[in-house]
Amino acid sequence: MASPRLETYCCPNRDAATQLVMNFQPEVFCGVCIGSASVSLLLTILQLLPKKGQSPRKMPKASSSSTILLLISICDILGGLGMIFRSSVWLGFPGFIANISVANGTDVWPSAFCVGSAMWIQLLYSAGFWWLFCYAVDSYLVVRRSAGLSTIVLYHMMTWGLAVMLCVEGIALLYYPSLSSCENGLEHAIPHYITTYAPLLLVLVVNPILFRRTVSAVASLLKGRQGIYTENERRLGTEIQIRFFKIMLVFIICWSSNIINESLLFYLEMQPDINEIPLKNIRSAALITWIIMGVLNPMQGFLFTLAFYGWTGWRVDLKWRKREIPWESMSSSTVGENAYPSPVNYQSNIHDSKKISTTDSQQTDEAISMLSEGNTSGDDRLTRSSPIYQGW
């Protein structure tokens, strides 16, 4: 799981609330993290692998949105690997981990492992949050025809730059001036928690607003494409809306327990003695949400692929094969003359007189196809209602 408590535990003089959750059944907790992360990792990779009998997605061109979705899955995979490695070391070498609690110890490797593994997990999941925010921004810009593959460079700079900057800044403030003196006061811990949860809260607050605006813009595009708003257009708009809803639902399910757990632990930290009897229910709720975090945080990778693409099946195709270019099989005579004909030239040969009138419709189809990437039924209806499809 991904929590700023992992970095706080690396402090020998950690607070009582962190001590409470980290010492609660550590073997069970690490086993839960390993199991959940392993299942999510395998299923995520299975989802992303090509399947037998599955035709390549018909996209007018490569989109930045599809690239962002893949990068989100990669961040989840790498973050899950970090969880598996960290929990495995904790289970396999308990004596090595016990040295973390020794203040002014001579062995620096346990602390280095603790800090390094915690930073790896936090950095990857934080980058995933930023990529999810970029996906919401890109979806809106694509519909407004203000984005493209060129903007992916800006997304890379923003995502990795902010993720690294916030992670390093939070860790530096937490461990200042040294690892043995961290957590002496809230002035060390609060900035670290803010830099950790800032991108998470950004996605929770801003992404629903951007998704709502995107859905409204999609409805306007569909209405203006042919001057009418048929049942197919209405259904396609609804499917895009449901797609955005699934993404936010998965995010809320996987990370709401972190916010609840952190609120409970901060409340316990404010108490003179967290072991008082009136605080028993709060301690129990904090421990329960701690275990829930270990289950749900790693599962985000697999659940996101379900929200992005749906269930892609078990039949994996590991054989390399050349993907057919969509316009390559349109005319055998054309293929004989030119092995790789240009789709634009093909269009001009058949519909030269209609080229100008269908340009706006084609751009609209491209924008909506980018949003419905992975949605087979939506892509099929879009393609069949497109003037390009009807002309071919």
Side-chain angles (χ1 to χ4, degrees), residues 154-174:
L154 298 178
Y155 296 147
H156 273 289
M157 295 173 61
M158 184 184 77
T159 296
W160 298 112
L162 290 174
V164 171
M165 182 185 70
L166 291 178
C167 182
V168 171
E169 181 182 2
I171 293 296
L173 293 174
L174 177 65

Short mmCIF file of all heavy atoms in Angstrom, two decimals, residues 154-174:
data_model
loop_
_atom_site.label_atom_id
_atom_site.label_comp_id
_atom_site.label_asym_id
_atom_site.label_seq_id
_atom_site.Cartn_x
_atom_site.Cartn_y
_atom_site.Cartn_z
N LEU A 154 4.60 17.80 -22.91
CA LEU A 154 4.28 18.69 -21.79
C LEU A 154 3.73 17.90 -20.61
O LEU A 154 4.05 18.21 -19.45
CB LEU A 154 3.25 19.74 -22.23
CG LEU A 154 3.70 20.69 -23.35
CD1 LEU A 154 2.55 21.64 -23.72
CD2 LEU A 154 4.91 21.49 -22.90
N TYR A 155 2.94 16.87 -20.90
CA TYR A 155 2.42 16.04 -19.81
C TYR A 155 3.55 15.30 -19.10
O TYR A 155 3.53 15.16 -17.87
CB TYR A 155 1.40 15.03 -20.37
CG TYR A 155 0.17 15.65 -20.96
CD1 TYR A 155 -0.49 15.06 -22.04
CD2 TYR A 155 -0.35 16.83 -20.45
CE1 TYR A 155 -1.63 15.63 -22.59
CE2 TYR A 155 -1.50 17.40 -21.00
CZ TYR A 155 -2.12 16.80 -22.07
OH TYR A 155 -3.24 17.36 -22.61
N HIS A 156 4.52 14.80 -19.86
CA HIS A 156 5.66 14.13 -19.24
C HIS A 156 6.42 15.09 -18.32
O HIS A 156 6.79 14.72 -17.19
CB HIS A 156 6.61 13.60 -20.32
CG HIS A 156 6.27 12.24 -20.82
ND1 HIS A 156 6.44 11.10 -20.05
CD2 HIS A 156 5.75 11.81 -22.00
CE1 HIS A 156 6.06 10.04 -20.74
NE2 HIS A 156 5.64 10.44 -21.93
N MET A 157 6.66 16.29 -18.80
CA MET A 157 7.40 17.26 -18.00
C MET A 157 6.64 17.61 -16.72
O MET A 157 7.23 17.67 -15.64
CB MET A 157 7.66 18.52 -18.83
CG MET A 157 8.57 18.31 -20.03
SD MET A 157 8.69 19.76 -21.10
CE MET A 157 9.36 20.96 -19.97
N MET A 158 5.34 17.81 -16.84
CA MET A 158 4.55 18.17 -15.67
C MET A 158 4.45 17.01 -14.69
O MET A 158 4.66 17.18 -13.48
CB MET A 158 3.15 18.62 -16.10
CG MET A 158 2.30 19.10 -14.95
SD MET A 158 0.61 19.53 -15.43
CE MET A 158 -0.10 17.89 -15.58
N THR A 159 4.14 15.81 -15.21
CA THR A 159 3.91 14.66 -14.34
C THR A 159 5.17 14.27 -13.57
O THR A 159 5.17 14.23 -12.33
CB THR A 159 3.41 13.47 -15.17
OG1 THR A 159 2.15 13.80 -15.75
CG2 THR A 159 3.25 12.25 -14.29
N TRP A 160 6.23 13.96 -14.30
CA TRP A 160 7.44 13.49 -13.63
C TRP A 160 8.12 14.61 -12.85
O TRP A 160 8.69 14.37 -11.77
CB TRP A 160 8.40 12.89 -14.65
CG TRP A 160 7.84 11.69 -15.33
CD1 TRP A 160 7.49 11.57 -16.64
CD2 TRP A 160 7.52 10.43 -14.73
NE1 TRP A 160 6.98 10.32 -16.89
CE2 TRP A 160 6.99 9.59 -15.75
CE3 TRP A 160 7.63 9.92 -13.44
CZ2 TRP A 160 6.58 8.30 -15.50
CZ3 TRP A 160 7.21 8.62 -13.19
CH2 TRP A 160 6.70 7.82 -14.21
N GLY A 161 8.05 15.84 -13.38
CA GLY A 161 8.65 16.96 -12.66
C GLY A 161 7.98 17.21 -11.33
O GLY A 161 8.65 17.32 -10.28
N LEU A 162 6.64 17.29 -11.32
CA LEU A 162 5.93 17.54 -10.08
C LEU A 162 6.02 16.36 -9.13
O LEU A 162 6.15 16.55 -7.90
CB LEU A 162 4.46 17.85 -10.39
CG LEU A 162 4.19 19.20 -11.06
CD1 LEU A 162 2.72 19.32 -11.44
CD2 LEU A 162 4.58 20.34 -10.12
N ALA A 163 5.95 15.14 -9.66
CA ALA A 163 6.03 13.96 -8.79
C ALA A 163 7.38 13.90 -8.08
O ALA A 163 7.44 13.68 -6.86
CB ALA A 163 5.79 12.69 -9.61
N VAL A 164 8.46 14.10 -8.82
CA VAL A 164 9.80 14.05 -8.22
C VAL A 164 9.99 15.21 -7.25
O VAL A 164 10.51 15.05 -6.14
CB VAL A 164 10.88 14.07 -9.31
CG1 VAL A 164 12.27 14.23 -8.69
CG2 VAL A 164 10.83 12.78 -10.13
N MET A 165 9.56 16.40 -7.66
CA MET A 165 9.76 17.58 -6.81
C MET A 165 9.03 17.45 -5.48
O MET A 165 9.61 17.68 -4.41
CB MET A 165 9.28 18.84 -7.54
CG MET A 165 9.50 20.12 -6.76
SD MET A 165 8.79 21.57 -7.58
CE MET A 165 7.03 21.22 -7.37
N LEU A 166 7.75 17.05 -5.53
CA LEU A 166 6.98 16.92 -4.30
C LEU A 166 7.51 15.79 -3.42
O LEU A 166 7.55 15.92 -2.18
CB LEU A 166 5.51 16.69 -4.63
CG LEU A 166 4.76 17.88 -5.25
CD1 LEU A 166 3.33 17.49 -5.57
CD2 LEU A 166 4.78 19.07 -4.30
N CYS A 167 7.90 14.68 -4.04
CA CYS A 167 8.41 13.55 -3.27
C CYS A 167 9.71 13.92 -2.56
O CYS A 167 9.87 13.68 -1.35
CB CYS A 167 8.61 12.35 -4.18
SG CYS A 167 9.20 10.86 -3.34
N VAL A 168 10.64 14.52 -3.29
CA VAL A 168 11.93 14.88 -2.70
C VAL A 168 11.75 15.96 -1.64
O VAL A 168 12.37 15.92 -0.56
CB VAL A 168 12.90 15.36 -3.81
CG1 VAL A 168 14.17 15.94 -3.20
CG2 VAL A 168 13.25 14.20 -4.73
N GLU A 169 10.89 16.94 -1.93
CA GLU A 169 10.67 18.00 -0.96
C GLU A 169 10.06 17.47 0.33
O GLU A 169 10.49 17.83 1.44
CB GLU A 169 9.75 19.07 -1.57
CG GLU A 169 9.47 20.24 -0.64
CD GLU A 169 8.52 21.25 -1.24
OE1 GLU A 169 8.06 21.02 -2.38
OE2 GLU A 169 8.25 22.27 -0.58
N GLY A 170 9.06 16.60 0.21
CA GLY A 170 8.43 16.04 1.40
C GLY A 170 9.39 15.20 2.22
O GLY A 170 9.42 15.29 3.46
N ILE A 171 10.19 14.39 1.55
CA ILE A 171 11.16 13.55 2.26
C ILE A 171 12.23 14.41 2.92
O ILE A 171 12.65 14.15 4.07
CB ILE A 171 11.80 12.53 1.29
CG1 ILE A 171 10.75 11.53 0.82
CG2 ILE A 171 12.97 11.82 1.94
CD1 ILE A 171 10.18 10.66 1.90
N ALA A 172 12.71 15.42 2.21
CA ALA A 172 13.75 16.29 2.77
C ALA A 172 13.27 17.01 4.02
O ALA A 172 14.00 17.12 5.02
CB ALA A 172 14.22 17.29 1.71
N LEU A 173 12.03 17.50 3.99
CA LEU A 173 11.49 18.18 5.16
C LEU A 173 11.24 17.21 6.31
O LEU A 173 11.41 17.58 7.49
CB LEU A 173 10.18 18.90 4.79
CG LEU A 173 10.31 20.07 3.81
CD1 LEU A 173 8.93 20.58 3.42
CD2 LEU A 173 11.14 21.18 4.43
N LEU A 174 10.85 15.99 6.00
CA LEU A 174 10.59 15.01 7.05
C LEU A 174 11.87 14.58 7.75
O LEU A 174 11.90 14.47 8.99
CB LEU A 174 9.89 13.78 6.45
CG LEU A 174 9.60 12.62 7.42
CD1 LEU A 174 8.60 13.05 8.49
CD2 LEU A 174 9.09 11.40 6.66
#
